[in-house]
Amino acid sequence: MSSWNAMSALIRFVFTDSKWEFIFSIQTLLDTVTALPFLLSAAFLPKGQQLYVPYFLRSWSVISRLQRTLSIGVDIGISDQPFDPVKAKLIALVAYFIAILYNGMAAFLYCETNFAPKTGTPHTVWDAFYFILITTSTVGYGDITPKSYEGKIV
């Protein structure tokens, strides 16, 4: 997956018109963050050890691809009617909310799995979903709490 991200970024760089805009884009930053740990671990770490690769960050690039897809009908001539801008913004808003939930769940589970003391039962994916949903809605019941300092930062 990481080698795919690196090759995809390289191909996009070769075929882009504005090289500097490409270098300083969010998409390039996400490709670098997800591909660089894998490439470094493959080149420098012995016996197949791997650095942590935050694949969940790739969900942010899906939103920009979704927005481009909504406008592709007019661009390639399938339709002469553009997609309704209100619907497009609503779809983007829902996609951002899903990405926030997904990234929060992944970061919370990573921090709690790797840094929390190993006492009691570990948090499940549903616990993480519940915790992130309640936290983002600012309700904060307090029935599920992070046990690690890193989890509290999330």
Side-chain angles (χ1 to χ4, degrees), residues 2 6 31-42 51 53:
S2 291
D31 286 335
T32 304
V33 166
T34 56
L36 195 60
F38 172 76
L39 297 174
L40 288 175
S41 64
L51 298 173
V53 181

Side-chain angles (χ1 to χ4, degrees), residues 28-147:
T28 304
L29 175 68
L30 291 174
D31 286 335
T32 304
V33 166
T34 56
L36 195 60
F38 172 76
L39 297 174
L40 288 175
S41 64
F44 298 111
L45 293 178
K47 299 179 184 174
Q49 294 173 337
Q50 292 188 353
L51 298 173
Y52 172 68
V53 181
Y55 287 119
F56 62 89
L57 293 176
R58 297 289 298 162
S59 63
W60 293 105
S61 63
V62 171
I63 296 171
S64 66
R65 290 179 183 165
L66 176 68
Q67 290 173 330
R68 283 186 297 215
T69 303
L70 292 176
S71 66
I72 201 166
V74 174
D75 294 341
I76 62 173
I78 292 175
S79 171
D80 58 348
Q81 298 292 326
F83 196 77
D84 185 16
V86 175
K87 288 181 183 177
K89 288 185 181 192
L90 180 63
I91 291 170
L93 179 67
V94 169
Y96 277 114
F97 185 69
I98 290 170
I100 288 170
L101 285 176
Y102 175 68
N103 282 278
M105 286 172 51
F108 178 74
L109 278 178
Y110 174 76
C111 290
E112 289 298 301
T113 303
N114 292 327
F115 302 115
K118 305 294 185 228
T119 59
T121 59
H123 293 296
T124 64
V125 173
W126 292 112
D127 289 341
F129 175 73
Y130 174 76
F131 174 76
I132 295 300
L133 186 65
I134 295 301
T135 302
T136 55
S137 66
T138 68
V139 174
Y141 292 124
D143 51 348
I144 297 176
T145 58
K147 296 171 180 64

